[in-house]
Amino acid sequence: MGEKNTAALPASEPDAAAAARTGADARAKLLGWARRTVDLVPTPWLVTGAGAVLLATTAAFGGLEAMPATAVPELSVGDTYRGSDLELTVVGVELRDERGDAMVFPDEEKGEKVLVVVVDVVNTFGKPRPSAAHAEASPTVDGIRLDGAEGAPSLSRTDDGGIPGMLQPDVPARLLLAWLVGPSDFRDGETVTLTLPDSTHHVGDNVLRGQDFWDEVRVGATVTATIEKAKTP
């Protein structure tokens, strides 16, 4: 007699229902364990984990983009810049052999020259302000810098060559900013760049209660100018 081929018999309905219940119980136990585990994890860890997922996701799309920086205005001679509660207008730049009304004293034996920047200034603040702060980062007129010239400028008035004191509110003043430079540092017709200061106004408290001051000094604008030949008196 030949061998009989015995095929597996399908499971009965009661057995199938029991298997389904067993699987459901297993999933429920697994989910319960997962919830209890999450409850035991400190919230900062969850936040950190979410941040890691966010960084991983953004990295796949090129990473986090930096916020665009505010562009510094690029001005020319004659343009008026408003910053630090001042209006500053560069009138011109001259290279001189003699000091004139500038508050610097060139050494003739060294061949030193005087680089002069003429600036119109208006104090737009409601109170008098000093024209110079005598600080490395000044928020006022002596905070103007000239690329290629060392340090802060010396200030003087164009009317009498005296040292400017307080800038009165809304009263225009024409000032000379002067640097001593070497005989070959600058030339007539050369293009130079100046930086004008900006800052943030604050009113002091405690020891400085009620006092006005400007800090967070930064570059507010640049001015491109051409050095002109010094005018003869």
Side-chain angles (χ1 to χ4, degrees):
M1 294 178 64
E3 296 182 355
K4 292 182 179 180
N5 294 328
T6 59
L9 297 175
S12 64
E13 291 184 2
D15 291 341
R21 286 195 298 271
T22 301
D25 291 342
R27 286 193 296 272
K29 291 180 180 179
L30 179 60
L31 290 174
W33 173 84
R35 292 191 185 97
R36 290 192 298 274
T37 302
V38 169
D39 290 339
L40 293 175
V41 177
T43 300
W45 289 16
L46 295 176
V47 174
T48 303
V53 172
L54 173 62
L55 289 175
T57 304
T58 55
F61 292 93
L64 296 174
E65 294 184 1
M67 292 296 290
T70 303
V72 175
E74 299 178 0
L75 309 179
S76 301
V77 170
D79 293 337
T80 297
Y81 164 72
R82 295 169 180 84
S84 288
D85 293 302
L86 297 170
E87 289 184 352
L88 301 172
T89 306
V90 175
V91 177
V93 182
E94 292 183 359
L95 187 61
R96 301 178 178 179
D97 294 324
E98 298 180 355
R99 60 177 289 266
D101 291 331
M103 291 299 295
V104 293
F105 302 89
D107 188 330
E108 294 183 4
E109 294 183 358
K110 294 181 179 179
E112 288 181 335
K113 296 184 178 182
V114 180
L115 190 60
V116 174
V117 177
V118 184
V119 180
D120 284 340
V121 183
V122 179
N123 171 20
T124 59
F125 192 62
K127 301 176 184 177
R129 293 180 58 192
S131 57
H134 305 290
E136 182 176 353
S138 168
T140 186
V141 184
D142 67 340
I144 296 176
R145 295 291 185 269
L146 175 68
D147 287 356
E150 185 176 349
S154 296
L155 304 184
S156 62
R157 296 191 298 265
T158 57
D159 53 0
D160 59 5
I163 298 175
M166 303 296 287
L167 298 171
Q168 299 301 321
D170 300 320
V171 177
R174 176 162 289 190
L175 304 181
L176 299 180
L177 285 63
W179 287 265
L180 284 177
V181 297
S184 58
D185 290 344
F186 295 92
R187 300 181 304 277
D188 292 337
E190 181 179 352
T191 299
V192 293
T193 300
L194 297 110
T195 58
L196 310 183
D198 194 9
S199 59
T200 303
H201 170 252
H202 295 283
V203 178
D205 52 15
N206 297 326
V207 177
L208 299 176
R209 181 176 298 277
Q211 296 187 27
D212 298 290
F213 63 95
W214 288 258
D215 61 3
E216 302 174 18
V217 181
R218 53 198 178 272
V219 174
T222 63
V223 178
T224 301
T226 301
I227 300 176
E228 299 177 355
K229 186 174 182 179
K231 301 178 178 65
T232 57

